[in-house]
Amino acid sequence: MTSTLPALQDRLLQDGFAFVPADAMREQLDAASLPDWPAFTASWNELAPDTYLASVGRHRRRRHAVFSADARGVHREPHQPHYQSKTYNPLQGDIERWFEPVTADGASLRRILDFCHRCFGGLAPQVAHWQVEVHQFRIEARANEAGEPTPEGVHRDGVDYVLVLLVDRSNIESGTTTIHAADGRLLGSFTLTHPFDAALVDDARVFHGVTAVTPVDPSQPAHRDVLVVTFRDALRARGGA
């Protein structure tokens, strides 16, 4: 299950990001033994509208949860708001945003969080305590309106490391992830197209964005479902950086 983890860590150290194809990610997660994966993916059908984004004329659905990670493992924390400064999110920064809590907290989510803890914790062994945030996103595309996976544009999240895991995409095209240097240079691009395709990002080193998604068949529903997990040094988080 962990045989290729050092190679992924080396790519993150070298490039600041890594695309992980579905087969490799399934190996990392031992996905064949996840009994609740169908229920986990179905939980995206229960996401609530992001009312904060709707107030500025954009649309998506989401749920959110906060965890902590340390030498004892990963632990869920009481429900709390998601906060980013305008430095990282000029569209919706400097406000506490409360979202409906993640309910699909079973074997699949815990396996993903454990993988992140091994991967990111191994890259920063000096960090004893991590603040972990989990975001379920559904981006919907309509005939007259493209869906925006990253409405804030090319950005950093203000954390240490990020996992973006594709859960499902239906009747959409595009949605290309782009990775950029601080000066805007394009460092790489790839499209998450299959369930379990993933991106790992060193948020302190590179910026990332995703192009808009449009329906293949405008007469049918179209969506892109992803799980985003962020890891941040808890000491830095408490300091407000």
Side-chain angles (χ1 to χ4, degrees), residues 156-168:
R156 291 166 56 210
D157 289 333
V159 298
D160 293 289
Y161 299 102
V162 182
L163 164 78
V164 182
L165 179 73
L166 184 71
V167 172
D168 183 45

Side-chain angles (χ1 to χ4, degrees), residues 13-30:
L13 286 170
Q14 177 178 322
D15 301 326
F17 70 97
F19 167 66
V20 189
D23 286 348
M25 199 66 197
R26 286 192 183 95
E27 178 189 352
Q28 290 296 323
L29 300 176
D30 192 15

Side-chain angles (χ1 to χ4, degrees), residues 68-177:
S68 59
D70 55 29
R72 297 173 298 136
V74 180
H75 322 278
R76 188 151 185 177
E77 297 295 330
H79 194 53
Q80 54 196 273
H82 176 53
Y83 178 86
Q84 292 174 294
S85 73
K86 279 190 176 291
T87 301
Y88 297 105
N89 189 338
L91 187 64
Q92 296 180 295
D94 291 347
I95 58 173
E96 291 187 343
R97 288 181 286 164
W98 287 91
F99 301 107
E100 291 296 314
V102 169
T103 58
D105 187 3
S108 292
L109 180 59
R110 293 303 178 131
R111 191 81 58 84
I112 293 164
L113 294 179
D114 287 345
F115 161 77
C116 291
H117 193 197
R118 293 196 314 273
C119 182
F120 301 147
L123 292 170
Q126 75 281 2
V127 177
H129 301 280
W130 295 97
Q131 180 193 66
V132 181
E133 293 194 58
V134 171
H135 308 263
Q136 291 178 286
F137 289 109
R138 168 165 286 183
I139 306 301
E140 298 174 325
R142 301 173 175 84
N144 59 350
E145 184 180 17
E148 297 181 79
T150 53
E152 62 271 65
V154 174
H155 65 286
R156 291 166 56 210
D157 289 333
V159 298
D160 293 289
Y161 299 102
V162 182
L163 164 78
V164 182
L165 179 73
L166 184 71
V167 172
D168 183 45
R169 55 185 284 154
S170 176
N171 189 37
I172 63 165
E173 54 188 358
S174 193
T176 298
T177 298

